[in-house]
Amino acid sequence: MYLNDIGRMYIDGKWVMSESGQTRKILNPATEEIIATVTEGSKFDVQKAIVSARRAFDKDGWANSKARDRAELLLKLADLLEQDCKEMSILETLNNGKPLREAEYDIQDAVNQLKYYAGLTTKPHGQTYDVPDDMQSMVVREPIGVVGQIIPWNYPLVMAIQKIAPAIAAGCTVVIKPAEQTPLTLIRFFHLIDQVGFPNGVLNLVLGEGKIVGTELVKSELIDKIAFTGGTETGRSIMKVAADTIKKVGLELGGKSPNIVFADADFETAIDYALFGIFANQGQVCSAGSRLLIEESIYERFVEELVNRAKDIEVGNGMDESTEMGPLISQVQLDRVLNYVQIGLEEGATLLCGGKRMNRKGFFFEPTIFTNTTPSMRIVQEEIFGPVLVIQKFKTEEEALELANGTKYGLAGAVFTNDVAKAHRIIKGLRAGITWINTYHPTFNEAPWGGYKQSGIGRELGTFGLEEYLEVKQINISLSVQPSNWFRKKNRTLQSKLVNK
Ligand code: NAD
């Protein structure tokens, strides 16, 4: 069985162990058992991967590959992944801990991403311009080149394919690095890539620590763009390092997203999505509705019902059918969440439920809700990235918006109300890139994903996601081939035209 093999890197079309000779143990967060061992990449491995991606792009012809051929490769990958959906979902649950039904949803989403970008590959993306001179002026889009992609652990495969699919559609070559904790589904996916038969060097997988392997990608002069999903602090340091080589960066970072419930909302729907907004994927979601803003007149009734329902959530091993919420990813993450609970208590917030590690093996944490918060509290301002909801109370629309926009983040936000005009006023006022009315969390591969403020730079998914992997080139073609005579005093017939810009 696959888990018995040592997980390798895929560099220049070959499965390789790291030169470092070191390995890393991979845990199942629900049992704390070691489920796999993978090779631990060094910066030299990354350099080899980058050189092969560079050669594939510059010399072996990938930059000029046919859009239809790339679309077919993506479609073949989609088919293989679809056939592998069940096993891949199980592996995602074993490695990440999320309930199997969520993993299955993720893998199907990844299949759809491959199909979506396969379709987009062959669609027109040029433009022409009407210019004043006797010229034909046009714009073409070309692949940006070699891209480094760095992936977090909360959606290990879907976040990777969200980056791989548009990069291949655009004609780029790729060196990708999963999070240290969750490399298994991406390794398995590279076995499918191997079967499909991409030219050597087009897609490379490197494993290892962010500070070593990730940094090498960001530093390299041979990489044209970095696409990163992860924490805001890591994003900040990546941007600084990337500045040395004026690399393009796409950053999908953290959030502290407001979910605003007005008194006239459908009560049951708002309760349901308040729970889903924060407790799906154990709250380890960048766009989680981690701040719940409730209108004063329904506050008591809403909070009481919410707490009762949160206490009812079945927390357990993601492989059990009855499980509704799985474990956190690691001991480190569990300690981080525990620390924030302590901070909340010290700040004077009221803990209404949860707040503790569960008394069993695995990194299980109780669904947790805080009230009596003030806007300046750290638990209100900072991303906890776990199943911890902080509640805020408001009286007016203006106050709701002020609270909603009152953090450094701007990733997502939602409003629940039956008043259509009010819903739109709130959404218009929200400084966030992903918003919902009367729902929370549904996302679509067709629509752009990304944040305002310190939640990121650029967009993934949809046509916007493809643009991020393309350069824009203007081409100006003279329709009247003759000298300009700019430097010939006696004959300046074309000069006025050239100046007339
Ligand atoms: P992280 O920033 O610690 O790590 C993310 C990735 O970056 C990992 O692969 C890691 O190895 C690598 N990395 C770490 N330090 C690096 C460095 N100095 N240089 C280069 N690479 C480095 O984040 P995480 O803990 O894996 O994920 C959680 C964070 O990701 C949360 O803040 C969450 O909000 C964010 N996230 C954002 C989105 C989004 O779309 N906006 C989606 C998922 C997760």
Side-chain angles (χ1 to χ4, degrees), residues 456-476:
I457 294 177
R459 293 292 180 272
E460 292 195 328
L461 297 176
T463 52
F464 296 84
L466 182 62
E467 288 280 330
E468 301 271 332
Y469 289 94
L470 292 165
E471 288 281 17
V472 172
K473 179 184 278 180
Q474 62 164 288
I475 306 174
N476 300 297

Side-chain angles (χ1 to χ4, degrees), residues 44-265:
F44 302 109
D45 299 311
V46 184
Q47 286 164 2
K48 278 189 200 156
I50 296 171
V51 166
S52 87
R54 194 75 259 172
R55 190 207 63 237
F57 186 81
D58 293 331
K59 303 211 170 101
D60 296 353
W62 185 252
N64 297 314
S65 57
K66 297 280 171 280
R68 193 186 281 180
D69 295 342
R70 298 198 304 276
E72 276 185 12
L73 287 166
L74 287 174
L75 284 175
K76 276 189 198 154
L77 263 181
D79 283 348
L80 288 178
L81 183 58
E82 201 149 32
Q83 286 162 30
D84 196 36
C85 223
K86 193 152 181 260
E87 293 293 312
M88 196 63 104
S89 307
I90 291 171
L91 190 58
E92 196 76 305
T93 289
L94 291 176
N95 192 177
N96 167 279
K98 65 178 68 196
L100 187 57
R101 63 177 175 166
E102 288 186 32
E104 284 168 351
Y105 184 89
D106 288 359
I107 305 306
Q108 190 53 51
D109 206 27
V111 170
N112 293 340
Q113 286 173 353
L114 290 163
K115 289 182 182 171
Y116 174 81
Y117 280 108
L120 218 52
T121 309
T122 52
K123 301 303 169 284
H125 42 236
Q127 282 160 313
T128 58
Y129 291 96
D130 195 356
V131 290
D133 286 337
D134 214 4
M135 298 250 190
Q136 174 69 64
S137 191
M138 63 170 93
V139 156
V140 293
R141 286 176 170 74
E142 297 181 343
I144 229 165
V146 179
V147 297
Q149 304 180 328
I150 302 175
I151 311 300
W153 44 255
N154 60 341
Y155 289 89
L157 190 66
V158 79
M159 288 280 157
I161 293 184
Q162 185 162 318
K163 290 181 170 49
I164 288 174
I168 292 302
C172 295
T173 59
V174 171
V175 182
I176 189 166
K177 185 198 103 59
E180 294 86 316
Q181 302 86 341
T182 52
L184 299 186
T185 46
L186 192 55
I187 295 175
R188 190 176 172 100
F189 183 67
F190 264 78
H191 281 275
L192 306 184
I193 286 173
D194 194 41
Q195 276 182 53
V196 162
F198 282 85
N200 289 349
V202 169
L203 283 160
N204 301 274
L205 170 70
V206 292
L207 304 174
E209 205 174 312
K211 286 210 167 72
I212 299 169
V213 172
T215 300
E216 197 59 30
L217 286 173
V218 182
K219 265 172 43 187
S220 172
E221 288 200 340
L222 302 179
I223 294 245
D224 299 298
K225 173 194 162 79
I226 289 288
F228 169 78
T229 299
T232 292
E233 283 318 311
T234 317
R236 205 184 308 284
S237 82
I238 285 179
M239 213 171 153
K240 284 181 186 158
V241 176
D244 283 342
T245 47
I246 315 287
K247 220 177 241 90
K248 285 155 188 77
V249 287
L251 302 175
E252 300 288 341
L253 308 177
K256 190 77 182 180
S257 300
N259 183 5
I260 307 168
V261 181
F262 282 94
D264 62 0

